[in-house]
Amino acid sequence: MTMTVIDSEGIADEMLPLAELAAQMRLADGFEVVPGQADRLRLRLRAGIEAVERRLGRALIAREFLLSGEVLGGRRVPLPIAPVEAVLSAAISRAGALFALDAATVEAGARGTEAVLARAVSDGEVLQLRVRAGYGVWSDVPGPLRQAALLLAEALDMGGDAEARRMAEAMMAPFRPLRIGGAR
């Protein structure tokens, strides 16, 4: 079973830690008055945050995601993203039409976070879940993950600093999913 993860909302500009990145890069106060400077930093921050999220399968800043893919059947569906706050909607796609399912809940399962559907779905059906995932606002994100995203954003701005990338990888290591045994 493979589910596609689509960021429904994106990260709002006001949620980005622009001042933190500017401080880390030792930019002068008033950096935002330089034409294009704030936009450039926003782009770097988005890229740094997205790189951490892709690497770990975790959403840093809370927002909505659409998860879609064929399921193995049953009521429990492993979620490809964490931490999931809530399942906002669930639907099955049949012959190009969406059929809403009753409410679903989120539980920690043997394989990680799972959506528990109100009723079982058949093997091979295409399930669409709209979820709210992420730690919350930037200050709620664990410190090492915040620093890894800032380091990656800074490295992008400096042309790909290899040392910064290695430090970011080390900070992300404790948050990587543990894979033991064969494929799921």
Side-chain angles (χ1 to χ4, degrees), residues 88-152:
L88 305 174
S89 67
I92 291 292
S93 176
R94 288 190 190 128
L98 280 178
F99 298 92
L101 299 174
D102 292 333
T105 59
V106 178
E107 288 183 10
R111 295 182 182 172
T113 307
E114 297 178 320
V116 181
L117 305 173
R119 70 166 184 84
V121 293
S122 301
D123 189 25
E125 286 190 299
V126 177
L127 177 65
Q128 288 190 356
L129 298 172
R130 186 166 299 283
V131 301
R132 181 146 183 89
Y135 289 101
V137 296
W138 183 252
S139 60
D140 295 335
V141 176
L145 297 182
R146 285 196 319 257
Q147 188 59 40
L150 291 172
L151 278 170
L152 291 174

Side-chain angles (χ1 to χ4, degrees), residues 12 14 39 44 49 57-58 63 66 74 77 84-85 97 101 103 106 131 143 155 157 161 165 171 173:
E14 56 274 1
D39 288 337
R44 301 305 191 267
I49 289 169
R58 292 177 177 269
R63 57 198 188 277
L66 176 66
V77 179
V84 176
E85 187 179 306
L101 299 174
V106 178
V131 301
D157 199 63
D161 182 5
R165 290 181 182 280
M171 290 177 185

Side-chain angles (χ1 to χ4, degrees), residues 153-184:
E154 184 178 16
L156 284 169
D157 199 63
M158 299 175 78
D161 182 5
E163 182 60 29
R165 290 181 182 280
R166 278 193 293 278
M167 289 189 321
E169 281 293 326
M171 290 177 185
M172 289 186 279
F175 296 91
R176 281 195 203 113
L178 183 60
R179 307 238 188 240
I180 300 175
R184 290 185 188 185

Side-chain angles (χ1 to χ4, degrees), residues 1-2 20 31 47-48 79 94 110 112 115 137 141-142 155 168 174:
M1 177 194 82
T2 303
E20 278 187 49
F31 69 91
L79 299 176
R94 288 190 190 128
V137 296
V141 176

